[in-house]
Amino acid sequence: DAGVTQSPTHLIKTRGQQVTLRCSPISGHKSVSWYQQVLGQGPQFIFQYYEKEERGRGNFPDRFSARQFPNYSSELNVNALLLGDSALYLCASSLEHTGTAAYGYTFGSGTRLTVV
Amino acid sequence: AQKITQTQPGMFVQEKEAVTLDCTYDTSDPSYGLFWYKQPSSGEMIFLIYQGSYDQQNATEGRYSLNFQKARKSANLVISASQLGDSAMYFCAMGSLSGGGADGLTFGKGTHLIIQP
């Protein structure tokens, strides 16, 4: 079975531009979460979507938005890019919206975004 | 609010030795889960082990075990018989089990583990 798939793997954007990152969860998983990991830090929670609805949001500005599609894939959009948005963006999928040992969170390999 | 503290930025360990990675946490949630992830240089977060706050026994998964001390709010990862392939960043994380995942997982800053031959 395919794991969590993220695209693109690498991306370079200019300040002020907009970017869309994509995530396909494991087949059968209904929940997708997004995390931002800047260099040298642990991942920070951005959004969680379950059954196409936003279930949680971290402390990120409104420039960050996301959505989940009927097939449970998800997109993360970031507008008006800043240099500080340069990071590894990780997507995680789980069966339900609460990760437990039975379900767990499975992460993709991430999209490395560089803003210049 | 939840907080994870990992006090070891880096560790060097000889191959085949056991290693303990420290993790302390803070939360007001009565029901929570604790996770350890491994992140190699490729970037993917690999799930290692999970401990629920109400689990009576410490979790074990192969060479990984979690030393859970609830009163001390610690959840240390123990890797037995370390291997060269264990070299990576290790992150401790926690999530609420009572809030429906609305706050996602909270991660520590990680420990960079290097296994030496």
Side-chain angles (χ1 to χ4, degrees), chain B residues 82-101:
Chain B
S82 57
Q83 303 170 355
L84 296 178
D86 293 334
S87 295
M89 285 293 294
Y90 287 80
F91 290 95
C92 179
M94 75 179 301
S96 170
L97 300 180
S98 55

Side-chain angles (χ1 to χ4, degrees), chain A residues 33 35 37 40-45 48 55-58 88 90 97-102 104-110 112, chain B residues 33 35 37 39 41-47 50 89 91 95-110:
Chain A
S33 302
Y35 290 80
Q37 186 180 19
Q41 300 292 321
Q44 258 194 301
F45 173 67
Q48 182 174 59
R55 296 301 183 104
R57 182 184 183 122
L88 179 68
L90 294 162
H97 56 84
T98 299
T100 69
Y105 293 95
T106 304
F107 283 82
S109 296
R112 195 166 296 277
Chain B
F35 302 79
Y37 286 89
Q39 187 178 43
S41 56
S42 60
E44 183 179 1
M45 300 288 281
I46 301 168
F47 168 75
Y50 167 85
M89 285 293 294
F91 290 95
S96 170
L97 300 180
S98 55
D103 296 326
L105 292 179
T106 299
F107 284 82
K109 291 187 175 182

Side-chain angles (χ1 to χ4, degrees), chain A residues 3-51:
Chain A
V4 178
T5 305
Q6 292 188 243
S7 63
T9 54
H10 294 83
L11 203 53
I12 299 175
K13 288 287 189 177
T14 304
R15 275 180 299 175
Q17 285 188 317
Q18 175 263 343
V19 68
T20 298
L21 311 181
R22 296 175 175 84
C23 172
S24 294
I26 291 174
S27 177
H29 283 196
K30 299 179 181 179
S31 178
V32 170
S33 302
W34 287 95
Y35 290 80
Q36 180 196 64
Q37 186 180 19
V38 299
L39 198 61
Q41 300 292 321
Q44 258 194 301
F45 173 67
I46 309 175
F47 285 111
Q48 182 174 59
Y49 276 77
Y50 176 69
E51 290 283 13

Side-chain angles (χ1 to χ4, degrees), chain A residues 75-103:
Chain A
E75 286 181 351
L76 175 71
N77 294 286
V78 186
N79 293 322
L81 284 166
L82 303 174
L83 294 180
D85 295 331
S86 295
L88 179 68
Y89 288 84
L90 294 162
C91 172
S93 80
S94 61
L95 272 173
E96 302 292 340
H97 56 84
T98 299
T100 69
Y103 308 134

Side-chain angles (χ1 to χ4, degrees), chain B residues 27-86:
Chain B
T27 182
S28 56
D29 261 312
S31 180
Y32 52 89
L34 294 155
F35 302 79
W36 276 93
Y37 286 89
K38 172 184 178 181
Q39 187 178 43
S41 56
S42 60
E44 183 179 1
M45 300 288 281
I46 301 168
F47 168 75
L48 295 178
I49 197 167
Y50 167 85
Q51 179 86 42
S53 58
Y54 289 109
D55 293 341
Q56 296 296 315
Q57 291 191 321
N58 287 343
T60 60
E61 288 285 349
R63 294 187 300 113
Y64 304 106
S65 60
L66 199 152
N67 184 1
F68 180 48
Q69 298 188 43
K70 194 172 182 178
R72 297 180 61 184
K73 293 189 174 180
S74 73
N76 298 340
L77 176 71
V78 179
I79 307 174
S80 63
S82 57
Q83 303 170 355
L84 296 178
D86 293 334

